[in-house]
């Protein structure tokens, strides 16, 4: 049984209570997977695609929601439903009624009772057809890192896109090496639950028993070196976040790494959901999904710099005291566009102009903005006559900014500089 009391029994009769941050994580996974399918299948000319989705620490399939006593599905069931919804949207919204999506699900857990419980709840949710077809779905009993090589081989052979949800209880069950191997597949990505409290515990007693895991599993030698008493001040949390994301960038070779903070109260991060991807499009889709689940107020001091996007747990009884909770989207939008100023203007002003797609590519990991915010920023700056947008060699006033548009400093601004 896990230390926090989250466990399942083989007949599915025990439902652990779902915590608010777990619900936020589930919603993010769901939102992302659905949009990932729409993007992968909807934006190409083909009519067929194969994807592999691995839930490496799948759990027992069902929780109880203490807010209302109702059942709350775990990650495997949510993933299957999100793919089904995504495919429906591809057929309907993208006018591809015959689209053939072959999705293969691989659910792994080291606890046999948890897998048995998952089976019970998949059947209870009408998903028996998945259980009867190993081409569609495999439930694998064992430790994730011991099963990974076989899965990588299968994914390599089929050359398909793959998504790995890695949601362990602890910090030693997934190594940097595992993540490197996954990212090496190329069309692959990971959403990893990283418990930052492990790092904080390590920093409190650097030479203690966590040292081996810190050096060999996390390969964190040379990181988190500042010597200080860690008591979760905003500046310290910002330092830990930046070190963590840079560590993952360096060790996994992923081109795009972005974190979503899960706070278990108003101000302390419990864990990060770290998205690692080899494609900018995947990161773009993930950031949009994070935006939907974010409930941090960027105008609030610290939120943008310290946590970036994230979710703070609000317990049912606290809800009424936080009327602004779901009210932050509008103010965040403008705060986010203003923040883009710091990241984009130096790039725009530094040369002969820069392609819109390069602006995004070079800054996507630095700020919470989605592609819509980038376009909105360009439109606002053009209206303010700070920049010009050049399309096919001519100045354009089109509000639909295209990836190939060149963004440059407005002519009159350039002249002003030289007079
Ligand atoms: C946090 S729970 C997963 C919850 C699930 N992702 C969800 O959101 O519904 C972690 C699961 O990982 C399993 N586990 C622990 N160590 C493991 C390992 N080395 N390999 C695979 N599974 C493991 C546990 O038995 C537990 O079911």
């Amino acid at each position: 049984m896990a230390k926090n009391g989250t466990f399942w029994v083989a007949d599915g009769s025990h439902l652990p209570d779902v915590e608010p941050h777990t619900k936020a994580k589930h919603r993010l996974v769901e939102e992302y997977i659905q949009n990932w399918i729409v993007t992968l299948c909807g934006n190409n000319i083909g009519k067929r695609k194969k994807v592999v989705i691995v839930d490496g620490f799948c759990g027992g399939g069902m929780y109880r929601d203490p807010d209302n006593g109702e059942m709350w599905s775990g990650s495997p069931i949510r993933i299957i439903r999100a793919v089904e919804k995504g495919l429906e949207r591809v057929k309907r919204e993208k006018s591809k009624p015959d689209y053939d999506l072959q999705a293969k699900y691989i659910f792994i857990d080291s606890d046999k009772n948890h897998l048995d419980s998952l089976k019970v709840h998949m059947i209870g949710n009408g998903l028996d057809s998945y259980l009867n077809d190993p081409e569609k779905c495999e439930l694998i009993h064992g430790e994730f890192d011991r099963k990974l090589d076989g899965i990588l081989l299968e994914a390599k052979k089929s050359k398909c896109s793959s998504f790995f949800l890695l949601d362990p209880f602890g910090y030693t069950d997934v190594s940097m090496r595992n993540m490197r191997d996954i990212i090496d597949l190329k069309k692959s990505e990971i959403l990893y639950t990283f418990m930052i409290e492990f790092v904080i515990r390590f920093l409190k007693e650097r030479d203690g028993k966590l040292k081996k895991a810190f050096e060999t599993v996390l390969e964190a030698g040379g990181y988190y070196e500042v010597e200080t008493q860690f008591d979760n001040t905003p500046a310290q949390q910002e330092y830990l976040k930046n070190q963590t994301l840079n560590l993952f960038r360096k060790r996994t070779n992923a081109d795009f790494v972005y974190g979503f903070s899960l706070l278990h109260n108003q101000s302390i991060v419990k864990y990060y959901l770290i998205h690692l991807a080899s494609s900018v499009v995947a990161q773009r889709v993930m950031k949009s999904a994070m935006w939907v689940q974010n409930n941090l107020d960027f105008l609030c001091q610290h939120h943008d710099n310290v946590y970036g996007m994230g979710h703070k747990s609000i317990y049912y009884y606290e809800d009424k005291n936080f009327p602004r909770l779901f009210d932050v989207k509008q103010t965040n939008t403008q705060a986010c566009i203003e923040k883009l100023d710091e990241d984009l203007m130096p790039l725009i002003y530094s040369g002969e102009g820069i392609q819109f797609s390069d602006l995004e590519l070079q800054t996507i990991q630095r700020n919470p903005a989605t592609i819509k915010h980038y376009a909105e920023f360009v439109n606002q700056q053009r209206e303010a006559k700070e920049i010009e947008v050049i399309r096919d060699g001519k100045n354009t006033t089109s509000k639909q900014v295209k990836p190939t548009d060149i963004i440059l400093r407005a002519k009159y601004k350039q002249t002003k500089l030289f007079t």
Side-chain angles (χ1 to χ4, degrees), residues 29-30 39 62 72 88 104 120-121 123 176 201-202 205 274 276 289-290 303 311 320 349 358 364 376 409:
V29 170
E30 236 169 13
T39 309
M62 194 60 69
W72 178 275
E88 260 169 47
K104 165 88 186 258
V120 169
H121 292 297
I123 293 168
M176 280 293 173
R201 262 195 288 145
F202 168 75
E205 37 157 326
I274 300 183
L276 306 124
M290 288 176 174
H303 273 168
H311 184 277
K320 295 169 200 59
Y349 277 17
D358 286 336
I364 187 169
E376 182 61 35
R409 185 177 193 142

Side-chain angles (χ1 to χ4, degrees), residues 8 26 55-59 63 74-75 109-111 114 142-144 167 169 173:
W8 291 268
H26 285 155
D55 190 340
F57 299 79
C58 65
Y63 297 80
S75 54
D109 205 289
S110 58
D111 189 323
H114 294 186
E143 295 193 349
F144 169 74
D167 181 27
F169 284 133
D173 297 321

Side-chain angles (χ1 to χ4, degrees), residues 2 4 6-8 22 25-26 55-63 72-76 78 108-112 114-115 140 142-146 165-170 172-174 193 195:
N4 65 3
T6 301
F7 70 97
W8 291 268
T22 304
K25 175 173 65 190
H26 285 155
D55 190 340
F57 299 79
C58 65
M62 194 60 69
Y63 297 80
W72 178 275
S73 304
S75 54
R78 283 176 188 274
I108 306 170
D109 205 289
S110 58
D111 189 323
K112 179 80 169 51
H114 294 186
L115 285 178
I140 301 180
E143 295 193 349
F144 169 74
D145 67 341
R146 287 171 181 262
L165 175 65
L166 304 181
D167 181 27
F169 284 133
T172 52
D173 297 321
V174 184
T193 304
M195 295 286 167

